[in-house]
């Protein structure tokens, strides 16, 4: 993988921030976009823009082909059996809310259990809290090991015959741990539950195969994997989706409308009310093409080398605490520096051109578990280099000096 | 972007040695506010009598800007009438907008003037003042 050539594809990287070259290390929040994606969106609006599934004119056909073509790409990208199993959403949050509001509310009642973990992003936690509140089901947590990982023995204990839904992140957006979702899916299925996987932090960084995992639902966002914001997808097994009710009603999702009764379109369109995010889907399709042209395995290898390098270099910084396992962080490192608050760290790093995230990362229960009110996070992607890590480390050392002197 | 605009010595001093940190034993007006996007939180207690802020204390956790702002705010409003305190809060808002404002009544607040050059940090500096407004409303 030639990082220099890849970087050339990302115009945004070639600028100075506060007099320093931009070092963008906030990829877990959102990734940057390559020219191929920017051009695809531009081309769509310049030449093909029209509504889908309606017009009998040429532009209408082009837009429909582009939109449905993107769905085919997503299906292939996740190795779904069929493109009907791919529902376009605004992103991971909307996808998870769709499962919770439709499948969750219809299939849970008092006495049932929904099993999640304390490391879930708020978008894979609050929807289940709400389902539990609305249905009387119990929300249960698989405990975490000391390093933040999940032990299968605990999974086995927490999931019972009463469990209806297991919802878990494939990769944690704070700890960088990869959860054994395939094994968890097997346990869930053996006990009669379904598994919902939050793939927001996995799809950008590794090859995902929903059939191999045997995921019942799998959600992801386009913008974290070089695509535009406002587009993502929910994968769901056909048999489950067919039995689910839409949660949004209106145009585009209907089959036949009477004065008092209506029927829905077939999959996947019954879940896509209103004019869909057509340009977003086109951009997501281009992002998938871009990532696949480089190869998800090559990207995973590059990032694994980079994260290991970062873990090594960060350990050189006196007073830096790294959260999560000693090794095996996927795509990111979360840390705190002495008693300097992470917001102050992030501001000083920004003054050196280094963009990191500081805060609770939409994981307040996990922050409490880590006994931290907030943390800083450096997250990497295919265009990051060892030089970026060096810039981060040197800026952290300067942060330490600055706050040491300022007192 | 000059870091020293943001982190002046007086700010770091209030951060490292916060004034009025703690809680009152007795039952007083208490306002709990947090900044949901970043996790900063403050619990402000106000003792008021006959329209005067007699005393103020705070606890909480957050960055140097939010905590030093809280420390300064409690110092600034002590002994002021409620109207004077609200007037200060208004002037502080103007300061965050980059307007030239004077704090003859508590000059140290002017150290926070640099925050307006760091838009992402303005909400850190205003957290304590929002708690003050809310406390006065109650």
């Amino acid at each position: 993988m030639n990082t220099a050539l890849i970087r050339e594809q990302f115009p945004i990287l070639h600028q100075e921030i506060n007099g320093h070259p931009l070092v963008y290390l906030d990829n877990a929040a959102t990734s940057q976009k390559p020219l191929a994606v920017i051009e695809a969106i531009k081309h769509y609006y310049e030449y093909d823009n029209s509504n889908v599934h309606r017009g009998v004119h040429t532009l209408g056909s082009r837009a429909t082909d582009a939109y449905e073509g993107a769905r085919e790409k997503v299906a292939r990208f996740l190795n779904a059996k069929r493109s009907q199993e791919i529902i376009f959403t605004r992103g991971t949050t909307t996808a998870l809310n769709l499962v919770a509001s439709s499948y969750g509310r219809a299939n849970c009642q008092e006495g049932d259990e929904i099993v999640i973990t304390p490391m879930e992003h708020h978008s894979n936690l609050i929807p289940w809290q709400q389902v539990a509140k609305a249905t009387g089901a119990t929300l249960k947590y698989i405990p975490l090991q000391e390093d933040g990982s999940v032990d299968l023995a605990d999974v086995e204990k927490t999931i019972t015959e009463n469990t209806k839904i297991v919802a878990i992140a494939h990769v944690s957006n704070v700890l960088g741990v990869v959860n054994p979702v395939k094994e968890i899916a097997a346990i869930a299925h053996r006990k009669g539950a379904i598994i919902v996987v939050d793939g927001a932090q996995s799809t950008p960084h590794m090859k995902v195969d929903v059939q191999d995992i045997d995921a019942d639902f799998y959600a992801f966002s386009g913008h974290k994997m070089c695509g535009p914001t406002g587009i993502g997808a929910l994968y769901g097994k056909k048999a489950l989706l067919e039995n689910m009710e839409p949660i949004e009603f209106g145009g585009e999702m209907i089959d036949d409308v009477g004065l008092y009764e209506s029927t829905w379109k077939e999959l996947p369109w019954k879940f896509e009310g209103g004019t869909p995010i057509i340009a977003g889907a086109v951009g997501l399709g281009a992002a998938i093409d871009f990532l696949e042209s480089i190869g998800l395995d090559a990207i995973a290898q590059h990032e694994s080398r980079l994260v290991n390098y970062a873990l090594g270099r960060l350990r050189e910084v006196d007073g830096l605490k790294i959260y999560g396992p000693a090794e095996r962080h996927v795509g990111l490192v979360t840390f705190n520096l002495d008693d300097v608050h992470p917001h102050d760290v992030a501001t000083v790093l920004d003054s050196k051109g280094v963009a990191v995230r500081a805060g609770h990362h939409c994981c307040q229960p996990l922050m409490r578990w880590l006994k931290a009110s907030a943390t800083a996070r450096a997250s990497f992607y295919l265009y990051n280099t060892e030089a970026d890590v060096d810039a981060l480390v040197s800026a952290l050392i300067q942060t330490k000096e600055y706050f040491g002197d300022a007192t | 972007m000059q870091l020293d605009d943001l982190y002046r010595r007086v700010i770091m001093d209030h951060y490292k040695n916060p004034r009025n940190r703690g809680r009152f034993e007795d039952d007083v007006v208490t306002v709990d506010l947090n900044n949901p996007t970043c996790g900063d939180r403050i619990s402000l207690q106000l003792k008021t009598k006959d329209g005067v802020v007699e005393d103020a204390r705070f606890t909480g956790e957050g960055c140097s800007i939010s905590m030093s702002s809280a420390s300064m705010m409690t110092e600034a409003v002590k002994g002021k009438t409620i109207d004077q305190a609200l007037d200060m809060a208004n002037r502080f808002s103007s300061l965050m907008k980059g307007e030239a404002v004077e704090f003859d009544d508590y000059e140290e607040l002017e150290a926070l003037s640099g925050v307006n050059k760091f838009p992402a940090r303005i909400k850190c500096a205003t957290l304590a003042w929002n708690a003050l407004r809310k406390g006065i409303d109650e």
Side-chain angles (χ1 to χ4, degrees), chain A residues 73-79 203 207-208 225 288 292 296:
Chain A
K73 283 178 191 176
V74 173
R76 206 184 54 232
F77 181 69
L78 298 178
N79 193 32
T203 45
K207 181 77 195 114
V208 169
M225 45 178 273
I288 289 173
E292 288 181 339
L296 269 298

Side-chain angles (χ1 to χ4, degrees), chain A residues 319-331:
Chain A
L320 191 107
K321 177 175 173 51
I322 296 172
Y323 298 94
E327 290 162 21
R328 291 185 300 108
H329 290 234
V330 170

Side-chain angles (χ1 to χ4, degrees), chain A residues 99-319:
Chain A
V99 183
S101 301
S102 178
Y103 186 91
R105 289 187 189 229
N107 289 280
C108 291
Q109 53 183 344
E110 216 170 319
D112 291 340
E113 298 162 354
I114 301 167
V115 169
I116 64 173
T117 79
M119 77 169 83
E120 298 315 313
H121 188 279
H122 293 166
S123 36
N124 195 33
L125 191 159
I126 305 167
W128 303 115
Q129 277 184 354
Q130 294 300 110
V131 173
K133 278 188 187 165
T135 62
T138 308
L139 193 58
K140 279 172 81 179
Y141 285 85
I142 302 168
L144 300 183
Q145 299 296 295
E146 211 162 295
D147 66 357
S149 62
V150 164
D151 189 298
L152 285 176
D154 290 326
V155 176
E156 190 75 53
K157 267 182 255 167
T158 314
I159 303 175
T160 73
E161 309 293 329
N162 296 326
T163 306
K164 287 287 183 298
I165 297 166
V166 178
I168 187 163
H170 198 165
V171 172
S172 157
N173 71 317
V174 172
L175 304 168
V177 295
V178 187
N179 288 314
V181 287
K182 185 177 174 176
E183 289 77 6
I184 297 171
I187 296 170
H189 290 148
R190 186 152 41 75
K191 304 199 184 188
I194 61 134
I195 183 162
V196 185
V197 182
D198 167 2
Q201 299 294 342
S202 52
T203 45
H205 306 289
M206 58 171 76
K207 181 77 195 114
V208 169
D209 184 331
V210 290
Q211 291 189 69
D212 179 57
I213 295 166
D214 200 12
D216 296 291
F217 295 101
Y218 199 100
F220 76 96
S221 297
H223 70 96
K224 294 187 203 285
M225 45 178 273
C226 294
T229 55
I231 185 80
L234 173 69
Y235 157 83
K237 284 181 182 166
K238 185 169 173 253
L240 294 169
L241 291 173
E242 272 178 339
N243 287 317
M244 281 160 57
E245 278 293 299
I247 59 167
E248 285 185 326
F249 305 87
E252 195 78 61
M253 51 76 66
I254 49 89
D255 176 32
D256 186 68
V257 176
L259 282 178
Y260 300 101
E261 287 294 333
S262 300
T263 55
W264 320 136
K265 264 189 192 161
E266 58 185 21
L267 284 178
W269 303 293
K270 75 169 173 180
F271 292 108
E272 294 178 0
T275 295
I277 311 145
I278 310 166
V282 169
L284 176 58
I288 289 173
D289 288 342
F290 172 78
L291 293 177
E292 288 181 339
S293 74
I294 294 158
L296 269 298
D297 290 336
I299 293 168
Q301 274 174 26
H302 168 76
E303 286 180 22
S304 165
R305 272 199 305 274
L306 199 59
V307 170
N308 283 331
Y309 179 71
L311 285 169
R313 293 265 4 239
L314 288 168
R315 286 196 187 102
E316 291 169 20
V317 182
D318 238 17

Side-chain angles (χ1 to χ4, degrees), chain B residues 92-101 113 115-117 122:
Chain B
F92 192 79
S93 297
S94 303
L95 188 72
M96 291 298 107
K97 288 177 194 144
E99 292 165 24
V101 219
S113 63
V115 176
N116 75 67
K117 298 197 191 88
I122 290 174

Side-chain angles (χ1 to χ4, degrees), chain A residues 18 344 347 360 373 402 407, chain B residues 1 4 7 16 36 61 64 121:
Chain A
N18 300 313
D344 295 319
T347 294
H360 56 55
S373 60
Y402 187 84
T407 51
Chain B
M1 181 177 190
D4 290 336
Y7 297 114
K16 297 284 174 188
E61 54 191 36
S64 57
R121 303 300 295 278

